[in-house]
Amino acid sequence: MTSKFHTLKIKDIRPETDDCVSIAFEIPTADMPEFVYKPGQYLSFKVIVDGEEIRRSYSLCSAPHEDEWRIAVKQIENGLFSKFSKTLKVNDLIEVMPPMGNFTIDLDPKNAKEYVLVAAGSGITPVMSLAKEILKTEPNSNVTLFYGNKGAQSVIFREQLEVLKNKYIRNFRFAHIFSRENLGIDIQKGRIDALKFNNLWDAFIGDEKVDEVFVCGPEQMILDIKDVSLRRGVADKGVHFELFGTTIVHEKTEELKDVHSQVRVIIDDDEFEFTIDSPEQNVLDAGIEAGADLPYSCKGGVCCTCKAKILEGAATMDVNYALTEEEVANGYILTCQSHPTTEKLVVSFDE
């Protein structure tokens, strides 16, 4: 795992909707091996806005077979990076970290799977990458996409979706669901919640066995989709989600105990040592305060940019929206959410 930022040149900028642009980057030949990606993964960016360093992660909407690295940035109220993105021009340089993320799957041309993809708003970006790559790589698999928006003007990649539908007419079906616009069909009106998803499943999927469900959007929608999918017979490991943010307050699973911990962080073969005395202080912030240039983006447990592996000792996480159960079992943590529970803790960002 690399934690280094690379300076990339902007290759292309194009409008997708009135409030969304997609940005493609030129990857130098020397950096190409590090920028190989899987569908559904994201890039992390570091920019200076009004003298302040900000970091954000944006999913790749391009698919690996397209030989392109493109993200989509939607304007949001008071969004520092989205506001900054309006000033970007072709040939501008920007600091970018190589692709990462678990919202993906290994594909095989021999597969004959049923995929259900669900997205809301800008959540379409990683889902678009997945749809294109699945349809290209697995000709015997089928993809069903449900895409929620306020109305037709909010639909990102509308023309691309039509192209996919026409190109893969036997393998791809999708439905728009609008919350503020009426298409004349009740099932396509409203928000994608548990009841709506149940109805969509009955109408579009029926009794077909679904192998994989990918959902990207608000947290409550994700919880609803997962609940319905599990009740419909999808295996727990077959439900994948990507969360852009969370508004639901989660209680900590356990009270943090006072601990004086000696922490050693390994990154890019360098080592940093520091102590953590407060049970409220996390490994990432303490390491940065100690002078280590540690990778991070959201600081909310949503992305996995700050992922590291425990080599010695133990730690507890407040929340985890990014790591798989297997990664946690193998000792990986989100350092932005982790607090030492032993007197000595050694973590590596290089594993």
Side-chain angles (χ1 to χ4, degrees), residues 135 138-144 167-173:
L135 291 167
E138 297 187 357
N140 297 315
S141 292
N142 297 314
V143 175
T144 302
K167 184 176 181 179
Y168 300 99
I169 194 166
R170 290 185 297 180
N171 304 80
F172 180 54
R173 57 192 173 187

Side-chain angles (χ1 to χ4, degrees), residues 2 4-8 25-38 41-45 60 64 67-69 94-100:
T2 181
K4 294 180 180 178
F5 282 93
H6 298 247
T7 303
L8 300 185
F25 303 93
E26 184 178 308
I27 311 297
T29 302
D31 294 341
M32 197 69 75
E34 291 189 63
F35 277 82
V36 173
Y37 68 98
K38 295 181 178 181
Q41 292 192 308
Y42 63 84
L43 300 175
S44 293
F45 298 83
L60 287 152
D67 195 28
E68 186 176 52
W69 287 256
I94 190 167
E95 296 295 298
V96 187
M97 198 177 288
M100 60 182 68

Side-chain angles (χ1 to χ4, degrees), residues 91-144:
N91 294 326
D92 280 353
L93 302 178
I94 190 167
E95 296 295 298
V96 187
M97 198 177 288
M100 60 182 68
N102 291 326
F103 190 63
T104 187
I105 191 170
D106 292 326
L107 302 178
D108 187 337
K110 297 177 183 178
N111 283 344
K113 287 186 173 184
E114 293 290 334
Y115 295 88
V116 174
L117 314 180
V118 188
S122 59
I124 191 64
T125 51
V127 169
M128 192 68 183
S129 176
L130 284 159
K132 290 187 287 188
E133 193 70 7
I134 292 169
L135 291 167
K136 173 69 174 180
T137 306
E138 297 187 357
N140 297 315
S141 292
N142 297 314
V143 175
T144 302

Side-chain angles (χ1 to χ4, degrees), residues 41-68:
Q41 292 192 308
Y42 63 84
L43 300 175
S44 293
F45 298 83
K46 177 173 66 175
V47 299
I48 304 297
V49 179
D50 297 330
E52 177 186 357
E53 179 183 292
I54 62 171
R55 301 189 184 193
R56 296 290 186 272
S57 297
Y58 285 89
S59 296
L60 287 152
C61 56
S62 52
H65 74 266
E66 296 177 308
D67 195 28
E68 186 176 52

Side-chain angles (χ1 to χ4, degrees), residues 215-227 239 241-244:
V215 53
C216 185
E219 184 170 14
Q220 189 57 58
M221 186 185 86
I222 287 173
L223 295 174
D224 287 347
I225 299 303
K226 182 172 184 178
D227 180 62
V239 181
F241 67 87
E242 181 89 312
L243 185 66
F244 280 172

